[in-house]
Amino acid sequence: MARRVYGKTGCSVEATLSVMGGTWKPVILFYLVSGTKRFMELTRLIPNATQSMLTSQLRELEADGVVVRHVYPEVPPKVEYRLSELGQTLVPVLLAMRDWGTAYKRKNREQAAKGADGDAAEL
């Protein structure tokens, strides 16, 4: 099932990052939390990732056993992706990452607004 070893340190965080680390894997996984997605749905949801990058990342996630790929025998090919049972165990991690990111963006907006107000007050 697993496609690679867990790195040099043996740290559990490193093992997690070996499976879901990088720019696109957590985003792909997050979109799969809400349910099965076709490949083209994922490309529309993640427009800054190339199709070849998404394909590569999805293959790695599948090799690690956190994503299940289903190919329908039809023309044109229909391919769907969903979280596996193992992938479902990442949902709390992904939701915590979402919540942290939301709070971080809010804090940055507030600091930027304070900075802008402070600059205006000095004029």
Side-chain angles (χ1 to χ4, degrees):
M1 169 176 30
R3 73 182 158 76
R4 60 190 138 167
V5 296
Y6 300 127
K8 298 174 172 104
T9 67
C11 173
S12 296
V13 172
E14 186 177 10
T16 303
L17 290 174
S18 76
V19 173
M20 64 176 289
T23 302
W24 302 118
K25 286 181 186 178
V27 177
I28 292 166
L29 291 167
F30 179 74
Y31 281 121
L32 293 177
V33 167
S34 62
T36 300
K37 299 280 184 281
R38 292 183 66 178
F39 181 79
M40 289 310 292
E41 284 180 272
L42 290 169
T43 62
R44 283 190 292 276
L45 290 166
I46 312 168
N48 292 332
T50 65
Q51 287 189 12
S52 62
M53 179 57 72
L54 282 177
T55 298
S56 169
Q57 300 292 277
L58 285 161
R59 284 182 182 156
E60 288 180 17
L61 289 166
E62 183 183 12
D64 283 328
V66 294
V67 167
V68 175
R69 177 178 181 253
H70 182 79
V71 181
Y72 292 88
E74 58 188 54
V75 177
K78 176 181 174 184
V79 180
E80 291 182 337
Y81 296 90
R82 66 175 174 80
L83 293 178
S84 67
E85 190 173 321
L86 177 62
Q88 290 289 336
T89 65
L90 289 170
V91 171
V93 176
L94 294 162
L95 295 178
M97 290 172 70
R98 179 205 57 196
D99 294 346
W100 188 90
T102 299
Y104 181 75
K105 290 190 316 185
R106 184 181 320 115
K107 180 179 178 180
N108 281 340
R109 280 192 304 268
E110 290 169 359
Q111 287 178 340
K114 285 179 184 176
D117 290 343
D119 291 345
E122 290 178 15
L123 297 176

